[in-house]
PDB file of all heavy atoms in Angstrom:
ATOM      1  N   GLU H 115     120.478  82.841  94.406  1.00 98.00           N
ATOM      2  CA  GLU H 115     121.629  83.779  94.489  1.00 98.00           C
ATOM      3  C   GLU H 115     121.115  85.170  94.195  1.00 98.00           C
ATOM      4  O   GLU H 115     120.436  85.421  93.229  1.00 98.00           O
ATOM      5  CB  GLU H 115     122.674  83.319  93.413  1.00 98.00           C
ATOM      6  CG  GLU H 115     123.806  84.253  93.145  1.00 98.00           C
ATOM      7  CD  GLU H 115     123.430  85.372  92.183  1.00 98.00           C
ATOM      8  OE1 GLU H 115     123.010  85.076  91.061  1.00 98.00           O
ATOM      9  OE2 GLU H 115     123.536  86.509  92.597  1.00 98.00           O
ATOM     10  N   ASN H 172     111.305  94.678  93.155  1.00 93.00           N
ATOM     11  CA  ASN H 172     111.401  95.203  94.515  1.00 93.00           C
ATOM     12  C   ASN H 172     110.204  96.021  94.848  1.00 93.00           C
ATOM     13  O   ASN H 172     109.836  96.904  94.070  1.00 93.00           O
ATOM     14  CB  ASN H 172     112.686  96.082  94.611  1.00 93.00           C
ATOM     15  CG  ASN H 172     112.976  96.439  96.009  1.00 93.00           C
ATOM     16  OD1 ASN H 172     112.654  95.773  96.966  1.00 93.00           O
ATOM     17  ND2 ASN H 172     113.551  97.650  96.174  1.00 93.00           N
ATOM     18  N   ARG H 212     112.929  85.506  77.545  1.00 98.00           N
ATOM     19  CA  ARG H 212     114.086  84.916  76.906  1.00 98.00           C
ATOM     20  C   ARG H 212     115.383  85.512  77.484  1.00 98.00           C
ATOM     21  O   ARG H 212     115.351  86.617  78.033  1.00 98.00           O
ATOM     22  CB  ARG H 212     114.033  85.139  75.377  1.00 98.00           C
ATOM     23  CG  ARG H 212     112.846  84.422  74.789  1.00 98.00           C
ATOM     24  CD  ARG H 212     113.104  84.253  73.294  1.00 98.00           C
ATOM     25  NE  ARG H 212     111.909  83.698  72.645  1.00 98.00           N
ATOM     26  CZ  ARG H 212     111.653  83.839  71.320  1.00 98.00           C
ATOM     27  NH1 ARG H 212     112.484  84.511  70.588  1.00 98.00           N
ATOM     28  NH2 ARG H 212     110.576  83.297  70.835  1.00 98.00           N
ATOM     29  N   THR H 334     119.656 124.310  83.168  1.00 93.00           N
ATOM     30  CA  THR H 334     120.674 124.781  84.131  1.00 93.00           C
ATOM     31  C   THR H 334     121.011 123.703  85.208  1.00 93.00           C
ATOM     32  O   THR H 334     122.053 123.782  85.850  1.00 93.00           O
ATOM     33  CB  THR H 334     120.149 126.020  84.874  1.00 93.00           C
ATOM     34  OG1 THR H 334     118.912 125.623  85.554  1.00 93.00           O
ATOM     35  CG2 THR H 334     119.861 127.184  83.950  1.00 93.00           C
ATOM     36  N   ALA H 368      93.380 117.936  72.462  1.00 92.00           N
ATOM     37  CA  ALA H 368      93.920 119.102  71.739  1.00 92.00           C
ATOM     38  C   ALA H 368      95.197 118.624  71.070  1.00 92.00           C
ATOM     39  O   ALA H 368      96.302 118.907  71.541  1.00 92.00           O
ATOM     40  CB  ALA H 368      94.227 120.203  72.789  1.00 92.00           C
ATOM     41  N   LYS H 444     102.253  95.329  60.365  1.00 97.00           N
ATOM     42  CA  LYS H 444     101.637  95.773  59.103  1.00 97.00           C
ATOM     43  C   LYS H 444     100.856  94.574  58.487  1.00 97.00           C
ATOM     44  O   LYS H 444      99.775  94.704  58.014  1.00 97.00           O
ATOM     45  CB  LYS H 444     102.639  96.337  58.129  1.00 97.00           C
ATOM     46  CG  LYS H 444     103.145  97.681  58.615  1.00 97.00           C
ATOM     47  CD  LYS H 444     103.696  98.517  57.502  1.00 97.00           C
ATOM     48  CE  LYS H 444     105.093  98.126  57.122  1.00 97.00           C
ATOM     49  NZ  LYS H 444     105.718  99.085  56.199  1.00 97.00           N
ATOM     50  N   ALA H 448      97.025  94.193  57.584  1.00 96.00           N
ATOM     51  CA  ALA H 448      96.668  93.817  56.205  1.00 96.00           C
ATOM     52  C   ALA H 448      95.793  92.555  56.162  1.00 96.00           C
ATOM     53  O   ALA H 448      94.989  92.360  55.255  1.00 96.00           O
ATOM     54  CB  ALA H 448      97.905  93.577  55.391  1.00 96.00           C
ATOM     55  N   GLY H 489      79.165  89.090  78.462  1.00 93.00           N
ATOM     56  CA  GLY H 489      77.720  89.167  78.686  1.00 93.00           C
ATOM     57  C   GLY H 489      77.226  88.254  79.757  1.00 93.00           C
ATOM     58  O   GLY H 489      76.068  87.766  79.739  1.00 93.00           O
ATOM     59  N   SER H 514      81.153 100.508  93.106  1.00 95.00           N
ATOM     60  CA  SER H 514      80.833 101.927  93.345  1.00 95.00           C
ATOM     61  C   SER H 514      82.132 102.689  93.541  1.00 95.00           C
ATOM     62  O   SER H 514      83.225 102.048  93.588  1.00 95.00           O
ATOM     63  CB  SER H 514      80.022 102.044  94.656  1.00 95.00           C
ATOM     64  OG  SER H 514      80.761 101.464  95.720  1.00 95.00           O
ATOM     65  N   ARG H 548      90.439  98.376  93.258  1.00 94.00           N
ATOM     66  CA  ARG H 548      91.732  98.572  93.877  1.00 94.00           C
ATOM     67  C   ARG H 548      91.664  98.060  95.324  1.00 94.00           C
ATOM     68  O   ARG H 548      92.566  97.454  95.802  1.00 94.00           O
ATOM     69  CB  ARG H 548      91.933 100.075  93.925  1.00 94.00           C
ATOM     70  CG  ARG H 548      93.281 100.423  94.318  1.00 94.00           C
ATOM     71  CD  ARG H 548      93.580 101.946  94.145  1.00 94.00           C
ATOM     72  NE  ARG H 548      94.594 102.318  95.093  1.00 94.00           N
ATOM     73  CZ  ARG H 548      95.833 101.811  95.101  1.00 94.00           C
ATOM     74  NH1 ARG H 548      96.244 100.936  94.217  1.00 94.00           N
ATOM     75  NH2 ARG H 548      96.670 102.220  96.016  1.00 94.00           N
ATOM     76  N   GLY H 630      84.342 108.169 114.624  1.00 97.00           N
ATOM     77  CA  GLY H 630      83.482 108.522 115.768  1.00 97.00           C
ATOM     78  C   GLY H 630      82.272 107.593 115.886  1.00 97.00           C
ATOM     79  O   GLY H 630      81.341 107.976 116.621  1.00 97.00           O
ATOM     80  N   ARG H 648      83.687  81.275 120.228  1.00 92.00           N
ATOM     81  CA  ARG H 648      85.050  80.854 120.583  1.00 92.00           C
ATOM     82  C   ARG H 648      85.052  80.336 122.029  1.00 92.00           C
ATOM     83  O   ARG H 648      85.765  79.322 122.347  1.00 92.00           O
ATOM     84  CB  ARG H 648      86.056  81.963 120.404  1.00 92.00           C
ATOM     85  CG  ARG H 648      86.854  81.628 119.212  1.00 92.00           C
ATOM     86  CD  ARG H 648      87.983  82.566 119.013  1.00 92.00           C
ATOM     87  NE  ARG H 648      87.748  83.157 117.699  1.00 92.00           N
ATOM     88  CZ  ARG H 648      87.820  84.437 117.464  1.00 92.00           C
ATOM     89  NH1 ARG H 648      88.102  85.283 118.415  1.00 92.00           N
ATOM     90  NH2 ARG H 648      87.597  84.869 116.252  1.00 92.00           N
ATOM     91  N   SER H 681      94.296  94.598 110.096  1.00 97.00           N
ATOM     92  CA  SER H 681      95.431  93.720 109.815  1.00 97.00           C
ATOM     93  C   SER H 681      96.310  94.322 108.763  1.00 97.00           C
ATOM     94  O   SER H 681      95.819  95.149 107.987  1.00 97.00           O
ATOM     95  CB  SER H 681      94.931  92.342 109.390  1.00 97.00           C
ATOM     96  OG  SER H 681      94.364  92.448 108.111  1.00 97.00           O
ATOM     97  N   CYS H 714      82.386  77.348  97.531  1.00 97.00           N
ATOM     98  CA  CYS H 714      80.931  77.340  97.491  1.00 97.00           C
ATOM     99  C   CYS H 714      80.405  75.947  96.988  1.00 97.00           C
ATOM    100  O   CYS H 714      79.482  75.447  97.596  1.00 97.00           O
ATOM    101  CB  CYS H 714      80.465  78.341  96.365  1.00 97.00           C
ATOM    102  SG  CYS H 714      80.058  79.951  97.015  1.00 97.00           S
ATOM    103  N   VAL H 732      75.878  86.405 126.338  1.00 96.00           N
ATOM    104  CA  VAL H 732      76.683  87.636 126.405  1.00 96.00           C
ATOM    105  C   VAL H 732      77.266  87.827 127.801  1.00 96.00           C
ATOM    106  O   VAL H 732      76.822  87.202 128.774  1.00 96.00           O
ATOM    107  CB  VAL H 732      75.825  88.912 126.011  1.00 96.00           C
ATOM    108  CG1 VAL H 732      75.481  88.872 124.540  1.00 96.00           C
ATOM    109  CG2 VAL H 732      74.607  89.009 126.886  1.00 96.00           C
ATOM    110  N   ALA H 733      78.295  88.748 127.914  1.00 96.00           N
ATOM    111  CA  ALA H 733      78.938  88.954 129.147  1.00 96.00           C
ATOM    112  C   ALA H 733      78.153  89.904 130.087  1.00 96.00           C
ATOM    113  O   ALA H 733      78.442  90.038 131.288  1.00 96.00           O
ATOM    114  CB  ALA H 733      80.379  89.428 128.936  1.00 96.00           C
ATOM    115  N   GLY H 777      76.061  85.796 131.023  1.00 93.00           N
ATOM    116  CA  GLY H 777      75.610  84.512 130.443  1.00 93.00           C
ATOM    117  C   GLY H 777      74.211  84.524 129.923  1.00 93.00           C
ATOM    118  O   GLY H 777      73.711  83.539 129.353  1.00 93.00           O
ATOM    119  N   THR H 802      81.806 113.533 116.554  1.00 97.00           N
ATOM    120  CA  THR H 802      81.703 112.459 115.546  1.00 97.00           C
ATOM    121  C   THR H 802      81.533 113.013 114.150  1.00 97.00           C
ATOM    122  O   THR H 802      82.134 112.560 113.224  1.00 97.00           O
ATOM    123  CB  THR H 802      80.577 111.492 115.953  1.00 97.00           C
ATOM    124  OG1 THR H 802      81.000 110.702 117.055  1.00 97.00           O
ATOM    125  CG2 THR H 802      80.151 110.565 114.794  1.00 97.00           C
TER     126      THR H 802
END
Side-chain angles (χ1 to χ4, degrees):
E115 170 278 302
N172 189 30
R212 294 201 187 158
T334 59
K444 289 205 279 189
S514 60
R548 192 171 152 62
R648 253 187 240 133
S681 68
C714 264
V732 292
T802 284

